[in-house]
Amino acid sequence: MSATNLKCRECAATYPLEARYVCEQCFGPLEVAYDHGEIAQDTAALRRRIQAGPQNIWRYSDFLPLEAPPGPSGRVLSRVGLPAGCTPLIRADRLAERLGLGEVWVKNDAHNPTHSFKDRVVAVASQRARELGFDTLACASTGNLANAVAAQAAALGLPSYVFIPSDLEEQKILATGVYGTNLVKIRGNYDDVNRLCTEISGEREGWAFVNVNMRPYYAEGSKTLAYEIAEQLGWETPDRVVAPIASGSLFTKIAKGFGEWLELGLITGDVPTMNGAQATGCSPVATAFAAGTDVCRPVKPDTIAKSLAIGNPADGPYAVELARTTDGSVDAVTDDEIREGIRLLAETTGIFTETAGGTTTATLAKLAARGDIGADERVVLVITGDGLKTLDAVRGTFESYEIDPRYDDFEAAVEQGVHA
Ligand SMILES: [Zn+2]
């Protein structure tokens, strides 16, 4: 594999590619480092190899930290797991028009097997976990990750333990339990769940917590979003990406993905301007950005965007830095704006997203209104999850008419304006 080691993001100390996530020297987070020297010799051949790969994230295996990624021939579910990725990138002219923008594309990651981008990161983490000899999958989740881990474990035939805050949306709880996982509801918020899971991961041998002890591998899965966007745009980068920020991992890894391919000469352009989206009810990263500091002071989340409700974001400082160095921003929008964002995307594209997507769409609207986006810019809006998971967010945001099954009643309803 082209991954060479784990490297501390703070002091650059290196470690072998094991299940570790924190630097022993400085307690900084570890990240996978690569040497693409050999494959970088012939970029045309590399592009052809990617294009000939499977219609999922394993077409990007050369850029993922796996010894033997499931190749094109791997079709046995218990070996390859649920295939993630290769989700649609759709040009959204009606949304662009509504916002007074030139070119907007929607990367719809609700098309993954459990309807969120988390299938990408879980696919990578669970494959690496098996390579390292782990026999149980686990996670601390705000909902989407719970779905993804439970489903992936079912596909791979592994036992799983999923830890969630007890007040999570019912849809996300039901769509997790159905896979036959051990579902543990914690009376506390996500940060409490995460603390407990960190403790458990130190005690349980053989347990791969995808976002704790497997975190460096897990995080790499998000780069595939950037690879796909670039490939779908004809091996070019977009000018700007608007993406949600929870822990900050997705946000920073999208930029890392573009950066890696630019460095290899696989694609043309620059690392896009990165705009992060948070909910005002949990906006430690947006607050730090506005204050001109990297320090993200922990908050107690209170927002309908529960999948973004991480009060103490592990990658917050890196997200702030990335927004700043790419001339982007991190903005926060209110719960009402999030509901409006969900409606705006649905009405202009036919895509129904969950509250995180509402947050991202509302942030795009805010940037447009502020005049931050140039008329000739190509903008990608990253939609990370499905609206069916957070149905309560749209309850009461539209009207409908109930009538008797008689034509006259229908006529009367139309006159009053069925669409109100
Ligand atoms: Zn270090």
Side-chain angles (χ1 to χ4, degrees), residues 8-13 15 23-28 30:
C8 174
R9 289 174 80 168
E10 291 300 322
C11 76
Y15 300 88
C23 178
E24 284 170 9
Q25 317 285 324
C26 76
F27 301 105
L30 302 182

Side-chain angles (χ1 to χ4, degrees), residues 15-319:
Y15 300 88
L17 291 160
E18 298 167 348
R20 56 168 81 221
Y21 58 104
V22 68
C23 178
E24 284 170 9
Q25 317 285 324
C26 76
F27 301 105
L30 302 182
E31 186 172 50
V32 180
Y34 298 84
D35 178 1
H36 293 303
E38 226 164 84
I39 56 168
Q41 302 303 319
D42 186 347
T43 51
L46 185 50
R47 274 193 213 113
R48 279 197 301 276
R49 184 154 92 212
I50 292 167
Q51 284 170 321
Q55 290 293 317
N56 55 51
I57 60 167
W58 304 129
R59 71 205 271 107
Y60 309 117
S61 294
D62 287 331
F63 309 92
L64 296 172
L66 300 173
E67 272 156 32
S73 57
R75 289 207 175 84
V76 182
L77 204 52
S78 61
R79 284 190 50 231
V80 302
L82 279 180
C86 283
T87 60
L89 179 72
I90 302 156
R91 188 164 165 164
D93 284 349
R94 293 193 56 240
L95 176 60
E97 200 179 312
R98 184 84 79 88
L99 297 176
L101 297 174
E103 192 178 329
V104 176
W105 296 75
V106 176
K107 180 63 174 167
N108 187 6
D109 243 27
H111 270 249
N112 278 302
T114 69
H115 314 287
S116 89
F117 86 98
K118 292 291 186 184
D119 291 312
R120 297 174 185 274
V121 287
V122 170
V124 175
S126 55
Q127 290 296 339
R128 185 61 187 148
R130 292 204 311 173
E131 286 180 356
L132 292 172
F134 289 92
D135 54 24
T136 301
L137 292 185
C139 70
S141 175
T142 57
N144 284 322
L145 184 58
N147 297 168
V149 165
Q152 193 65 251
L156 292 169
L158 295 174
S160 63
Y161 286 79
V162 165
F163 298 82
I164 55 171
S166 57
D167 71 343
L168 216 54
E169 295 97 340
E170 193 189 15
Q171 291 92 9
K172 283 183 183 161
I173 296 174
L174 293 173
T176 301
V178 71
Y179 298 112
T181 185
N182 298 287
L183 187 56
V184 187
K185 296 183 189 173
I186 309 296
R187 289 189 286 272
N189 61 30
Y190 172 78
D191 299 288
D192 299 320
V193 176
N194 193 42
R195 250 193 321 275
L196 175 66
C197 287
T198 304
E199 199 182 330
I200 297 171
S201 79
E203 299 290 330
R204 296 276 164 159
E205 289 244 334
W207 282 33
F209 273 87
V210 296
N211 58 338
V212 182
N213 54 343
M214 298 303 296
R215 189 168 183 85
Y217 309 102
Y218 160 93
E220 290 294 286
S222 289
K223 292 188 310 185
T224 59
L225 257 168
Y227 300 151
E228 277 178 32
I229 291 167
E231 196 186 343
Q232 287 166 319
L233 289 176
W235 307 97
E236 277 180 28
T237 58
D239 298 308
R240 181 184 298 269
V241 171
V242 187
I245 294 179
S247 74
S249 173
L250 167 76
F251 186 69
T252 52
K253 291 294 178 174
I254 289 175
K256 187 185 181 201
F258 286 122
E260 282 179 353
W261 275 18
L262 283 165
E263 203 171 301
L264 289 174
L266 257 183
I267 51 175
T268 56
D270 296 297
V271 172
T273 298
M274 296 293 298
N275 291 105
Q278 293 211 294
T280 47
C282 182
S283 54
V285 186
T287 304
F289 181 85
T293 170
D294 287 356
V295 182
C296 300
R297 299 184 59 173
V299 300
K300 229 179 162 129
D302 180 19
T303 170
I304 59 167
K306 290 187 176 159
S307 57
L308 302 181
I310 297 182
N312 190 9
D315 291 288
Y318 304 110

